Amino acid sequence: MPTGSNASTILMRVDTGPDSGLGHVRRCLVLAGELGRRGLDCSFLVPGPEGAAYVSGAGHEALSLGAEEHDDLRSVAEYVDRRHPAAVVIDSYRASNVDELQLNVPVIVLDDLADRYLPVSIVVNAAAHAPDLKYAVAERTQLLLGTEYALLETQYANLPDRTASGRVLVTLGGGDSDGLTVRIVDCLVGLLGGARFDVVVGPFFPPSVIASLEDVSRSNGGVRLHRDVTDLRPLYAASELVITGGGQTLLEAAATGAACLAIKLAPNQRPNIEGLAASGAIVDAGESAGNDLPDRLGRIVRDLWSNPAERERLGAAARQRLDGRGAERIADAVCEVLG
């Protein structure tokens, strides 16, 4: 550890916002919580005031980056020079110049793409396909790859058995600029008579999308909207079916044993969804693009809703893949690097 470092502080540079949603910051908050239990404080560098407010609400120091600071890691280097943290965690697609940094502290990168040179201390990729990726790293780099490193809070390791509830959860992340949530809810309400629907409204949803969802909720008493949700576990646990994207939310929901239908909301989600689907842990509902999504999703949901045994099988397979100990394993590796 470099002389003069703050041995109890970890800096986390994390993406969040309308384009990147909440997945990055939520998984880093899980890691921060696990590191906190080991006596380490975490400070966050995040884009925009909304992201900073979200992190602050979770109890961590948060500094808001200006627009000109989003696309590289200059702000990280400046922070390290000023505050001397013990280590840096980077979870950002925009941070393309990791190999150019000379921070003189351990660097841990949470990565989904394996598309850049990462001469860092630790690389973490919890996607199902991650062990098959060819990472360009330094000889010293530890690779923590696969679902055993999924960043889930420790409560996911010891969840109670599920009971039938007749509830469906729709949660597509922090943002929904295209109004996909509205299309999905409209489709399902007419398809599953008697079901109750929990719909998560993210902090980056446009006002027009929120207004449309409110109209749906007012016209159908079985649709309930949830805003400012900081812990989705109770909703996952209460749902017989979860419809979500292919990022952090999918890993969380699957870890609770819910039957999950995953929609590819971005190209980088494809390998994770397909890897989990190939292992029988989730159902791949295809791409979000295209006018055929309601029909495609409707067919899958109708079949699954009428087959409780298949829902139970999916949940059991998912819990086998995601044991809730990933944050502990990563924190162990970080502490080992810190000595």
Side-chain angles (χ1 to χ4, degrees), residues 183-251:
R183 294 170 59 201
I184 290 173
V185 174
D186 277 339
C187 165
L188 298 184
V189 164
L191 185 68
L192 303 180
R196 290 177 293 164
F197 298 90
D198 295 296
V199 182
V200 176
V201 179
F204 307 117
F205 274 39
S208 60
V209 173
I210 296 174
S212 295
L213 287 171
E214 289 173 339
D215 288 342
V216 173
S217 181
R218 277 191 294 267
S219 63
N220 189 305
V223 177
R224 182 181 178 188
L225 305 185
H226 299 265
R227 306 190 199 193
D228 301 320
V229 181
T230 57
D231 184 1
L232 286 166
R233 276 196 318 272
L235 290 174
Y236 297 144
S239 302
E240 292 192 64
L241 194 61
V242 176
I243 298 169
T244 186
Q248 177 71 9
T249 304
L250 175 60
L251 297 177

Side-chain angles (χ1 to χ4, degrees), residues 4-6 9 43 61 63 77-86:
S5 67
N6 185 337
T9 300
S43 296
E61 179 187 32
L63 303 176
E78 292 168 2
Y79 185 100
V80 169
D81 288 342
R82 187 170 69 253
R83 300 279 289 269
H84 306 292

Side-chain angles (χ1 to χ4, degrees), residues 274-303:
E274 293 179 351
L276 286 170
S279 69
I282 66 162
V283 175
D284 182 352
E287 306 283 347
S288 61
N291 294 328
D292 68 326
L293 177 62
D295 291 338
R296 183 185 350 126
L297 188 62
R299 289 193 298 272
I300 298 171
V301 168
R302 188 185 301 109
D303 291 343

Side-chain angles (χ1 to χ4, degrees), residues 138 176-177 212 281 310:
D176 183 7
S177 58
S212 295
E310 176 62 9

